[in-house]
Amino acid sequence: WKKLYLAHHWPVTVCKMSDHDCQDPPEYWTIHGLWPDKTEECNRTWHFNVTEIKDLMSDMRRYWPDVLHSSLNRTQFWKHEWEKHGTCAATLPVLNSQKKYFGKALELYQHIDLNSCLLKAGIKPSSSYYQMTAIKEALTRFYGVTPKIQCLPPEEGEKAQTIGQIEFCFTKELQLRNCTALKGDSDPMQADLKLGTEELSVCSDTLPTYYPSQVQ
């Protein structure tokens, strides 16, 4: 693989996409995963073991919660992320154990600090709409790279898309890079986002964009 995606999702939108038991989703961006492009389930015998990340637990619960299943002892989400993506990321020495993989993802999340960047740019959850180009410009200005932003397309009768996921891309040296696909790169991440019947797709630059503050 060539690059890593650090995917943040917006819990309110995740809840909107699904009929699970979302209770009081966090009102800040949380981690969806740290994904190498192109590969999945690289080592099916390397099973998730939650005791390896017990030191990270309070940060994991806070910043990488299972938004859809709110009971605290849910480790299913982390198990899925490790087995599907972590076992592939582990070809890098800095990510070659569960503790390193989850710990590094948390570190990158803190480093990116998306929540405060958006606030500084005056972009906060609201019932009015944003222009997608304004959100993109703010992020690009702040980070110096182009992230990948995904939205829920408008439902019937709606005119706005709903922001759902923001992904930052990193080189194998864990330096930020643009997410734009290079010629010949496939987009492996589409399949990861089926939740219920609705799915996220790359946001349209022309549709008004809703950044919801609570589940409707």
Side-chain angles (χ1 to χ4, degrees), residues 83-111:
E83 289 172 359
K84 185 170 179 182
H85 303 290
T87 57
C88 301
T91 54
L92 282 190
V94 291
L95 301 172
N96 68 4
S97 70
Q98 273 177 214
K99 185 159 186 189
K100 286 186 192 173
Y101 171 75
F102 289 105
K104 185 54 78 177
L106 287 163
E107 207 177 291
L108 293 172
Y109 169 85
Q110 303 280 16
H111 171 68

Side-chain angles (χ1 to χ4, degrees), residues 11 14 20 30 47 65 68 70 89 94 100 105 130 143 170 176 188 207 212:
V14 175
H20 287 75
T30 60
H47 296 300
L68 294 179
S70 35
V94 291
K100 286 186 192 173
Y130 289 95
Y143 295 106
F170 291 87
L176 274 169
L207 287 174

Side-chain angles (χ1 to χ4, degrees), residues 140-156:
T140 304
R141 200 169 57 237
F142 201 86
Y143 295 106
V145 293
T146 311
K148 179 176 165 190
I149 308 177
Q150 305 218 36
C151 290
L152 259 187
E155 286 174 11
E156 217 150 304

Side-chain angles (χ1 to χ4, degrees), residues 3 37 112-113 126 129 142 160 163 185 188 191 200-201 213:
K3 63 178 182 279
D37 59 355
I112 291 277
D113 199 6
S126 134
Y129 299 126
F142 201 86
I163 195 165
D185 279 8
L200 296 171
S201 53
S213 54

